[in-house]
Amino acid sequence: MVENHLRATGFYHVSRIGVIRGFHPMLAALVERWRSETHSFVLPIGEVTVTLEDVAHIFGLPIDGEPVSGWTDSSSEFVQSQGIAIFGREPSVSHNAKSYIKLAWVRRIRDAESLDTEESIRRYVRCHILCLLGSTLLTDKSTAYVHAKYLPLLRDFEQIHTYSWGSTCLAHLYRALCRASRYDTKEMDGPLNLLFVWA
């Protein structure tokens, strides 16, 4: 039942991809060849880049549809009300930044779902998608938190598949590569699995 719901949201394929580790030399080589002006890698064979088609094939995310955007309210009241509506309880947030939800808390909530009702299955899938957003698709360097700005997009279960999650993921990758290619940057975040599989 969970698989069918994940398929309906467009997140099934990406949920089957594990974490890829140990490719730091390849990552360093790619970042060194990234050109922010053209959003492409300059290689001996010419310029190449990760495309929306690549995102669709590798992650299976929707690339057509509504943009992943909206009004962001970082107040604790907003985060609490969205959390109650989506998870059925108040989320555990970062003490430093109240608009970030702890991924460990989301995983605990997900794993505690009984999966015996339609709403329980939907809560499980929403939690799973939020974990994917915070740990695989739209990561930051902490990888321990996910921004609460995605909560309103997960609230209406029937609308989750209508957003262009793939283009958001690609834009996040481009932004992460542009940041990582600066001389004063030592780490990189973003959807590294996408980059590794593409390479």
Side-chain angles (χ1 to χ4, degrees):
M1 291 188 301
V2 169
E3 179 181 325
N4 291 336
H5 282 72
L6 276 170
R7 286 185 191 279
T9 62
F11 281 85
Y12 175 72
H13 187 71
V14 71
S15 72
R16 307 278 300 156
I17 298 173
V19 177
I20 301 172
R21 299 188 195 283
F23 284 88
H24 296 291
M26 180 177 67
L27 178 61
L30 286 170
V31 168
E32 188 176 295
R33 288 162 179 78
W34 179 255
R35 295 298 167 259
S36 298
E37 305 81 31
T38 59
H39 288 131
S40 61
F41 299 101
V42 178
L43 302 176
I45 59 167
E47 289 191 25
V48 295
T49 195
V50 183
T51 65
L52 270 177
E53 185 178 7
D54 296 324
V55 176
H57 286 293
I58 294 168
F59 278 169
L61 292 170
I63 57 173
D64 295 320
E66 296 296 316
V68 175
S69 67
W71 180 68
T72 303
D73 181 350
S74 59
S75 70
S76 60
E77 293 81 21
F78 169 80
V79 175
Q80 298 301 332
S81 68
Q82 291 294 316
I84 290 170
I86 292 170
F87 308 120
R89 60 201 80 178
E90 291 185 10
S92 176
V93 297
S94 166
H95 296 294
N96 299 332
K98 300 291 184 202
S99 57
Y100 285 86
I101 299 171
K102 294 178 182 179
L103 282 172
W105 179 85
V106 176
R107 287 185 188 101
R108 278 194 308 276
I109 295 302
R110 178 195 64 193
D111 296 342
E113 283 298 332
S114 60
L115 304 176
D116 57 353
T117 65
E118 179 71 16
E119 188 51 39
S120 176
I121 294 168
R122 287 182 174 203
R123 270 196 308 269
Y124 179 94
V125 170
R126 284 186 189 106
C127 288
H128 193 67
I129 292 171
L130 198 60
C131 286
L132 287 170
L133 294 174
S135 65
T136 304
L137 302 174
L138 306 173
T139 61
D140 61 14
K141 289 180 184 171
S142 79
T143 66
Y145 299 94
V146 62
H147 201 286
K149 66 185 173 187
Y150 304 114
L151 292 179
L153 302 173
L154 302 177
R155 193 167 182 168
D156 185 349
F157 195 84
E158 306 301 326
Q159 295 297 310
I160 295 172
H161 76 282
T162 66
Y163 295 105
S164 180
W165 296 103
S167 59
T168 303
C169 181
L170 182 62
H172 191 67
L173 176 64
Y174 283 3
R175 182 176 179 207
L177 283 164
C178 288
R179 285 180 176 170
S181 65
R182 295 191 314 230
Y183 75 93
D184 59 340
T185 303
K186 295 184 179 12
E187 294 179 345
M188 182 177 166
D189 60 3
L192 298 181
N193 283 358
L194 172 63
L195 186 59
F196 293 150
V197 172
W198 174 82

